[in-house]
Amino acid sequence: RIGSASSLSSAIINTRLQELVRLFKERTEKVKEKLIDSDVTSDEESPVASPAAAVVPAPGGELEGDKPSGDGHCCEMLCCAFERPPWLDRLKSSRFPSSIDPLTNLMYVLWLFFVVLAWNWNCWLIPVRWAFPYQTPANLHYWLLVDYLCDLIYLLDILIFQTRLQFVQGGDIITDKKAMKENYLRSQRFKMDVLCLLPLDFFYFKVGVNPLLRFPRCLKYMAFFEFNNRLEAILTKAYIYRVIRTTAYLLYSLHVNSCLYYWASAYEGLGSTTWVYDGEGNSYIRCYYWAVKTLITIGGLPDPKTLFEIIFQLLNYFTGVFAFSVMIGQMRDVVGAATAGQTYYRSCMDSTIKYMNFYRIPRTVQNRVKTWYEYTWHSQGMLDESELLVQLPDKMRLDIAIDVNYDIVSKVALFQGCDRQMIFDMLKRLRSVVYLPNDYVCKKGEIGREMYIIQAGQVQVLGGPDGKSVLVTLKAGSVFGEISLLAAGGGNRRTANVVAHGFANLFILEKKDLKEILVHYPESQKLLRKKAKKMLRNNNKPKEEKGGGGDALIIPPKADTPKLFRAALAATGRVGGRGPPGRLRWRLKELQAMQ
């Protein structure tokens, strides 16, 4: 009995060990597949609850599973349960972020917009309220309400947002609350923010509500420039905002000049001379019109009479010439930066046309070159994409290449199962080329050194007796010429003509680039060679079965040995195979094996 029991236990242990070995092998294969292609999803089963983890009744006698889950948003009150809106839970669970990334956080950009709005209120309306009689005791409470609302925005910016901004120190992004607060308190930004909130409003009780006491509120200019940088980084056409901002600079300088002119007129006395404002019509519009004529130096203004008027006018002319020239120069820079690409395109086209005219290139070729320039520019916005990407780090170029090309390349049958990193390296070597209508992408019989991926447009594969019949039309996402990258021994010749049907934008991978990549991936190189041989066999099998209906071979096969000669060789073999006939027979066998 003891022996039978021990044998039974050993059999059970062996069975269990074999089962464990089998499971480990399956897991190893899955891990290997996942390493080769991380897109492969794991098909492992979810862990099953053990019998020991049975459901235990709650103290009240109910099972825990019978209780309403938190996803139902139920609220028990007295004897009834009410449905609670899910947004209330989200609102309660939402918290203000402990740290803010000032470069990518859109919420921070939106907050800067409100800060800049408050800053513009102070910059534009403080001079108006000081010079023009628009602030009266009847509407004073409205002005003060908006003023203190802007002060509240300034205060919230200091206490909540600026103390939570991340910063870089020694290459690390600092997100510690104490460190972020200390960094803000040591910065120049904090000093200016405190200075702009000086409580000069207490002097209202002594000198009255004078808007000039709020002039320090205009010192929050650093928020304005930060908002400009953040907004330009997220806009697709930032030059439009730059033009609007430069125009606003010009309008603001005219606005301040009109306020100064009304103040000078009130100082001299409205209507006292022909130079000052006479007090008729809308005071702001009339003074703004005078400021425009002065700053832009249009002329036609009345001559100043008093010494004060002469000095004021001289300062206006000098300031106007300087400010207007600066605005014109800045506007020129903005427009020049916006049209720099177009200027480069025109320069390249003009140089090419000049070159073709100098060498008397035929007019048809010149027209095709011009068409290529126009289509490439309008479709891509640039002539060469590599010029744009060469400035980026290698990692960023890879990220862009993955987003643009990975979906297409990963569907190529030749590259499926290869190392993912090898495909990533290959994506960086792809080159974009535009073909015009009826351009030959490749011709039959030429040596294939590239693989083509259709990004946009269509190409047609031509064949038939005349070589002009359309065999198939390939659309965007299709791949052709991939076997030529790995074929050897004459198998890399093109077997058909491929013509662009309309404008076609293709990605090209050259053979030498693939060879340089495969040096670092020997396993993928073996897999690609195996796949290439299999694809070549599949392509050649129909021709062999049809008995030579395909293309003519570059090296024609040797003619078969005559039957009479084979019979003589066979007889010689039966005699013994010695002598010249035997050596001839052995040589013939060797030639057949080589063939």
Side-chain angles (χ1 to χ4, degrees):
R1 291 181 180 175
I2 295 174
S4 62
S6 62
S7 62
L8 180 61
S9 62
S10 62
I12 293 174
I13 291 173
N14 289 333
T15 305
R16 183 59 179 165
L17 288 175
Q18 291 176 2
E19 183 69 19
L20 287 175
V21 170
R22 185 182 62 82
L23 291 175
F24 277 123
K25 284 183 178 180
E26 291 180 357
R27 186 173 182 83
T28 304
E29 292 296 330
K30 290 175 183 176
V31 171
K32 189 182 295 183
E33 291 179 4
K34 205 167 187 179
L35 287 175
I36 294 175
D37 188 1
S38 60
D39 288 339
V40 177
T41 56
S42 177
D43 56 352
E44 295 181 7
E45 297 180 356
S46 57
V48 182
S50 61
V55 180
V56 181
E62 295 180 0
L63 293 176
E64 292 183 1
D66 296 337
K67 289 186 178 182
S69 62
D71 295 339
H73 306 287
C74 292
C75 178
E76 295 183 1
M77 185 179 294
L78 297 178
C79 61
C80 303
F82 301 96
E83 287 290 332
R84 188 170 57 203
W87 58 269
L88 281 177
D89 290 338
R90 289 198 295 268
L91 187 62
K92 289 182 179 180
S93 61
S94 62
R95 296 180 57 189
F96 196 80
S98 59
S99 64
I100 300 173
D101 185 3
L103 300 178
T104 60
N105 196 317
L106 295 180
M107 181 191 68
Y108 181 65
V109 178
L110 181 62
W111 171 253
L112 284 178
F113 169 76
F114 290 108
V115 175
V116 171
L117 198 64
W119 179 76
N120 274 281
W121 166 270
N122 292 313
C123 290
W124 285 78
L125 292 178
I126 287 176
V128 172
R129 292 160 60 186
W130 165 71
F132 292 92
Y134 290 152
Q135 178 178 299
T136 61
N139 59 16
L140 180 62
H141 56 284
Y142 295 114
W143 293 103
L144 294 179
L145 177 63
V146 181
D147 285 346
Y148 293 130
L149 181 62
C150 295
D151 292 350
L152 178 62
I153 294 176
Y154 281 15
L155 190 62
L156 291 177
D157 183 59
I158 295 174
L159 298 178
I160 297 179
F161 284 88
Q162 296 301 321
T163 56
R164 299 171 186 260
L165 293 184
Q166 302 173 6
F167 66 98
V168 179
Q169 186 178 28
D172 297 330
I173 300 177
I174 307 301
T175 58
D176 182 66
K177 290 183 179 180
K178 185 178 179 181
M180 291 186 295
K181 186 180 295 184
E182 291 177 354
N183 178 68
Y184 173 60
L185 294 179
R186 292 194 303 265
S187 64
Q188 184 70 21
R189 176 79 171 267
F190 173 71
K191 298 175 183 177
M192 298 301 298
D193 289 346
V194 172
L195 187 62
C196 73
L197 281 178
L198 284 177
L200 300 181
D201 302 46
F202 289 108
F203 288 100
Y204 285 172
F205 299 105
K206 187 173 182 179
V207 299
V209 182
N210 189 349
L212 284 182
L213 293 175
R214 292 187 56 83
F215 181 75
R217 304 297 188 271
C218 300
L219 298 178
K220 204 174 177 63
Y221 60 89
M222 300 179 78
F224 172 70
F225 292 115
E226 184 183 7
F227 174 71
N228 290 335
N229 296 333
R230 301 290 176 264
L231 188 61
E232 290 179 7
I234 62 177
L235 290 177
T236 55
K237 296 183 178 180
Y239 67 91
I240 297 178
Y241 174 72
R242 296 189 190 108
V243 171
I244 295 174
R245 186 182 63 205
T246 306
T247 306
Y249 290 160
L250 178 61
L251 295 178
Y252 182 73
S253 61
L254 297 173
H255 168 78
V256 172
N257 196 30
S258 64
C259 295
L260 291 174
Y261 175 64
Y262 186 87
W263 169 80
S265 300
Y267 178 80
E268 286 283 297
L270 298 179
S272 58
T273 62
T274 56
W275 180 83
V276 299
Y277 169 58
D278 56 4
E280 297 180 1
N282 189 297
S283 57
Y284 181 77
I285 298 298
R286 297 286 298 274
C287 293
Y288 201 91
Y289 173 73
W290 182 91
V292 170
K293 294 180 68 175
T294 304
L295 281 183
I296 304 180
T297 62
I298 295 177
L301 295 172
D303 295 331
K305 304 298 182 183
T306 64
L307 179 63
F308 174 81
E309 294 175 356
I310 293 173
I311 295 175
F312 187 89
Q313 188 70 1
L314 286 176
L315 292 176
N316 247 321
Y317 280 138
F318 288 136
T319 306
V321 171
F322 176 75
F324 195 68
S325 60
V326 169
M327 297 299 172
I328 293 298
Q330 189 171 3
M331 188 71 73
R332 182 204 61 192
D333 294 339
V334 170
V335 176
T339 59
Q342 187 78 16
T343 304
Y344 173 72
Y345 157 69
R346 291 294 177 190
S347 175
C348 291
M349 178 176 275
D350 293 343
S351 301
T352 306
I353 293 175
K354 183 179 179 181
Y355 173 84
M356 292 188 295
N357 290 332
F358 180 78
Y359 285 99
R360 295 183 177 87
I361 304 298
R363 185 61 58 183
T364 55
V365 178
Q366 291 192 25
N367 292 336
R368 292 182 66 81
V369 171
K370 294 176 184 177
T371 305
W372 181 88
Y373 266 105
E374 292 178 0
Y375 176 79
T376 304
W377 174 257
H378 290 298
S379 61
Q380 299 180 170
M382 62 190 74
L383 297 178
D384 190 2
E385 295 178 352
S386 60
E387 294 181 359
L388 175 67
L389 301 179
V390 73
Q391 303 174 359
L392 298 177
D394 189 68
K395 181 63 174 64
M396 291 185 180
R397 287 206 304 269
L398 176 59
D399 293 340
I400 294 176
I402 290 174
D403 292 336
V404 175
N405 307 327
Y406 182 73
D407 290 339
I408 298 176
V409 176
S410 61
K411 296 176 184 177
V412 180
L414 186 64
F415 300 125
Q416 289 180 359
C418 293
D419 195 317
R420 242 174 112 83
Q421 190 59 43
M422 188 215 76
I423 296 179
F424 290 164
D425 292 343
M426 190 176 63
L427 292 177
K428 294 185 291 186
R429 303 296 185 96
L430 292 178
R431 183 166 49 90
S432 178
V433 177
V434 174
Y435 288 90
L436 301 183
N438 300 322
D439 271 356
Y440 276 89
V441 180
C442 57
K443 292 185 178 182
K444 181 178 178 179
E446 68 180 10
I447 302 298
R449 299 184 181 88
E450 304 94 0
M451 180 191 75
Y452 300 92
I453 303 173
I454 304 176
Q455 182 192 20
Q458 298 178 359
V459 298
Q460 293 178 341
V461 181
L462 305 182
D466 56 352
K468 296 182 180 180
S469 301
V470 179
L471 302 180
V472 66
T473 300
L474 303 178
K475 299 183 179 180
S478 301
V479 179
F480 60 95
E482 65 271 23
I483 303 179
S484 300
L485 294 181
L486 295 169
N492 58 344
R493 289 187 178 271
R494 305 296 188 188
T495 58
N497 295 328
V498 180
V499 180
H501 180 63
F503 292 95
N505 195 341
L506 307 181
F507 284 122
I508 295 179
L509 176 64
E510 296 185 359
K511 190 172 184 175
K512 60 182 182 65
D513 292 334
L514 183 62
K515 284 185 176 181
E516 293 176 1
I517 295 171
L518 289 179
V519 171
H520 307 285
Y521 304 96
E523 295 295 331
S524 298
Q525 186 176 14
K526 294 178 184 177
L527 180 62
L528 287 177
R529 291 192 181 281
K530 190 183 299 183
K531 285 189 174 185
K533 290 178 182 178
K534 186 176 180 181
M535 296 172 76
L536 281 172
R537 282 198 302 268
N538 294 337
N539 290 344
N540 294 333
K541 189 177 285 186
K543 298 180 181 180
E544 295 171 0
E545 292 174 356
K546 292 177 183 177
D551 301 327
L553 296 176
I554 299 173
I555 302 177
K558 192 173 181 179
D560 293 338
T561 306
K563 293 182 180 180
L564 183 59
F565 190 47
R566 283 205 303 267
L569 290 175
T572 306
R574 285 195 297 270
V575 170
R578 293 195 176 98
R583 289 195 298 271
L584 185 60
R585 180 174 177 273
W586 175 83
R587 182 60 179 166
L588 182 61
K589 279 186 177 182
E590 186 181 4
L591 289 174
Q592 287 178 348
M594 291 177 60
Q595 184 177 353

